[in-house]
Amino acid sequence: MTNIYAVILAAGQGTRMKSKLYKVLHPVCGKPMVQHVVDNIHSLDVERIVTIVGHGAEMVKEQLGEKSEYALQAEQLGTAHAVQQAESALGNLEGTTLVICGDTPLIRPETMQALLAHHNELNAKATILTAVAENPTGYGRIIRDEAGQVAQIVEQKDATEEQKLVTEINTGTYCFDNKALFETLKLVGNDNAQGEYYLPDVIEILQKQGEVVTAHVTPDFSETLGVNDRVALAEAETLMQARIQELHMRNGVTILSPGSTSISADAVIGRDTVLKPGVVIEGKTVIGEDCIIGPNSQITDSTIGNATTVKNSVVTESKVGDHTAVGPFAHLRPQSDLGNEVKIGNFVEVKKSVLKDGAKVSHLSYIGDAKVGANVNIGCGSITVNYDGKNKFETVIEDDAFIGCNSNLVAPVTVGKGAFVAAGSTIVKDVPEDALAIARARQDNKLDYAKKLK
């Protein structure tokens, strides 16, 4: 097969989005639209990708990084003008160029591959990706001749009443012979109401030159959705979410309420895991097998081991081991690292702490900037006092220690292996191994004193 190149159109501001964020950077299922497009293209055997940037150029470059080359369209003068900006990078190369918009995140790699195969099979100079729309209003129509070949693309505003009845539409995605593309772009004019240079004009010019121009019909119209406003953004989110969830369910994941569940495009979930209603999985989260997640849990950029339960809790940028229980109503903040068979109970917050295998923090506690050893038990209402108003300090609780209820461990402090801290203690110095630390005032009962208060 010939060399393949790609040009991604991502220069527009997207005024209909009514947003400070540039259109192609709006996320769909947790990933910017243009990132979806680039990632899908990368799954093909593509030699080079050139993204045309304009508005928000630096933000787009920051998002895509080294996954693409870039060309600047300083003035937005139409789609043909945008593609022309890639000439210095691609203009002299032999091969096939895929042109695709950065606001079409739903087009699958398989569809792009089928488009390229159709283009090469017919030895075409240009191939249009088309679809059949139930309501084609607003789209350019594909007009075919008696032999079924593409005769022209007619925009909605220029179409006759008869042409408006045509339901095959132009999706805005194309394949071109690379050299023919850049040679023909020089011939495109801007004699139209908008004074812009339009890429479909390349199709008309090639046809007049007697070149082979063809179309490949994708069977799924929804793939071709271009996101131009918040309504279309919500539609794209719904369509992609259904696609993502179907993939996970077919791979052995149980999703009890697909309509109330949200899974990011990059999430990995093991089989026989159950997602209960209200679960939100974001970023590059990895969840193992045989887990129960939810209801109403949010997991972001975290790793969850096998046979672990997360109930009604928030887990962010953290690691949770196997056979561990989190929640209900727990909060794992970034850099929390829980081992195997750990228990984090209701209303427990953990931040930037390591809890080794078998550790238990069952309820109403805060563990921050701590190293907690294996089989440690931390009683209700206990906290690691890690912040003095300026700096954070570390608490170390060694294996098999027992921390009584309502204890304050004022960092920096170490509780030795097997040591006990009596309930209600405020610990300000290290506790030796196997020692009992008591740091509370001795109880004094004032007999009959309550009568005076009454």
Side-chain angles (χ1 to χ4, degrees):
M1 183 179 282
T2 181
N3 288 338
I4 303 171
Y5 315 103
V7 175
I8 301 172
L9 306 183
Q13 185 174 14
T15 55
R16 280 182 282 175
M17 297 295 287
K18 293 182 170 56
S19 175
K20 295 182 288 295
L21 184 65
Y22 299 105
K23 180 173 72 169
V24 298
L25 294 177
H26 278 266
V28 174
C29 294
K31 183 190 293 188
M33 291 189 284
V34 70
Q35 188 72 63
H36 280 289
V37 175
V38 169
D39 288 349
N40 287 339
I41 291 173
H42 264 283
S43 67
L44 308 175
D45 188 18
V46 175
E47 292 288 325
R48 296 173 70 176
I49 298 174
V50 179
T51 300
I52 310 302
V53 294
H55 293 286
E58 293 308 313
M59 294 178 67
V60 174
K61 290 179 181 180
E62 183 179 355
Q63 173 62 43
L64 300 179
E66 296 181 357
K67 285 194 169 186
S68 176
E69 302 172 47
Y70 304 93
L72 178 66
Q73 186 186 24
E75 288 185 274
Q76 275 66 64
L77 299 178
T79 50
H81 179 259
V83 176
Q84 203 164 22
Q85 308 314 303
E87 184 173 13
S88 60
L90 304 178
N92 295 321
L93 301 177
E94 298 279 354
T96 301
T97 296
L98 174 70
V99 178
I100 187 168
C101 295
D103 62 0
T104 55
L106 294 166
I107 298 181
R108 302 173 191 260
E110 296 86 350
T111 300
M112 298 181 196
Q113 190 67 61
L115 174 66
L116 289 163
H118 182 89
H119 176 82
N120 289 324
E121 182 181 343
L122 297 180
N123 197 26
K125 291 295 183 183
T127 302
I128 311 154
L129 181 66
T130 70
V132 176
E134 186 174 323
N135 178 9
T137 302
Y139 291 94
R141 307 303 204 279
I142 302 299
I143 308 301
R144 293 180 180 264
D145 60 23
E146 294 178 356
Q149 300 302 311
V150 175
Q152 62 182 137
I153 302 173
V154 180
E155 297 303 318
Q156 168 84 22
K157 63 182 182 300
D158 300 321
T160 65
E161 290 305 313
E162 183 180 0
Q163 289 170 335
K164 287 178 182 178
L165 297 175
V166 174
T167 57
E168 186 180 5
I169 58 96
N170 176 21
T171 68
T173 297
Y174 309 87
C175 274
F176 295 98
D177 174 89
N178 188 67
K179 284 196 170 181
L181 170 63
F182 288 103
E183 289 170 3
T184 309
L185 283 170
K186 297 180 175 68
L187 306 176
V188 174
N190 65 341
D191 185 17
N192 52 61
Q194 282 72 34
E196 294 185 351
Y197 301 87
Y198 293 130
L199 192 57
D201 289 352
V202 172
I203 302 294
E204 184 178 350
I205 294 169
L206 288 171
Q207 284 172 324
K208 289 179 178 178
Q209 292 175 348
E211 302 290 358
V212 176
V213 174
T214 185
H216 172 69
V217 184
T218 178
D220 185 358
F221 170 72
S222 67
E223 277 193 63
T224 68
L225 176 70
V227 177
N228 292 311
D229 57 25
R230 306 286 183 137
V231 176
L233 183 67
E235 185 179 356
E237 180 80 19
T238 300
L239 291 167
M240 184 167 286
Q241 191 59 231
R243 183 189 297 178
I244 290 169
Q245 292 189 29
E246 180 180 349
L247 177 64
H248 285 295
M249 288 188 284
R250 294 195 182 282
N251 286 336
V253 177
T254 296
I255 302 176
L256 296 182
S257 178
S260 69
T261 302
S262 178
I263 306 173
S264 74
D266 291 328
V268 177
I269 307 173
R271 65 173 135 181
D272 292 320
T273 283
V274 177
L275 305 184
K276 292 189 174 184
V279 167
V280 177
I281 299 173
E282 300 177 319
K284 296 183 178 180
T285 291
V286 177
I287 299 175
E289 298 182 353
D290 303 302
C291 295
I292 298 175
I293 309 297
N296 303 315
S297 291
Q298 180 181 10
I299 303 176
T300 304
D301 290 319
S302 297
T303 300
I304 310 294
N306 297 319
T308 283
T309 300
V310 179
K311 297 179 181 178
N312 301 85
S313 296
V314 176
V315 181
T316 305
E317 296 174 22
S318 294
K319 181 180 178 182
V320 180
D322 300 337
H323 299 279
T324 287
V326 177
F329 313 116
H331 187 186
L332 303 187
R333 290 167 56 191
Q335 299 182 59
S336 297
D337 185 349
L338 312 186
N340 301 326
E341 299 182 340
V342 170
K343 180 180 179 183
I344 301 295
N346 49 297
F347 304 105
V348 172
E349 181 177 352
V350 181
K351 189 272 297 186
K352 198 179 180 181
S353 296
V354 176
L355 282 78
K356 296 294 186 180
D357 295 352
K360 294 178 176 60
V361 190
S362 294
H363 29 219
L364 298 164
S365 295
Y366 169 70
I367 308 299
D369 297 282
K371 292 180 180 176
V372 179
N375 303 312
V376 167
N377 187 90
I378 298 179
C380 176
S382 297
I383 65 171
T384 58
V385 186
N386 59 332
Y387 185 46
D388 67 359
K390 291 183 179 180
N391 300 300
K392 299 288 180 71
F393 298 94
E394 184 178 71
T395 297
V396 177
I397 306 173
E398 295 180 351
D399 295 351
D400 303 310
F402 183 95
I403 310 300
C405 294
N406 198 34
S407 294
N408 302 310
L409 307 182
V410 183
V413 70
T414 297
V415 177
K417 182 178 180 180
F420 273 64
V421 172
S425 294
T426 296
I427 303 299
V428 296
K429 59 184 180 180
D430 292 349
V431 180
E433 181 177 329
D434 292 323
L436 169 63
I438 304 175
R440 60 192 183 206
R442 194 175 290 275
Q443 182 173 330
D444 185 9
N445 294 331
K446 305 290 187 181
L447 298 179
D448 296 325
Y449 191 84
K451 294 179 180 178
K452 298 179 181 180
L453 301 179
K454 298 174 183 177

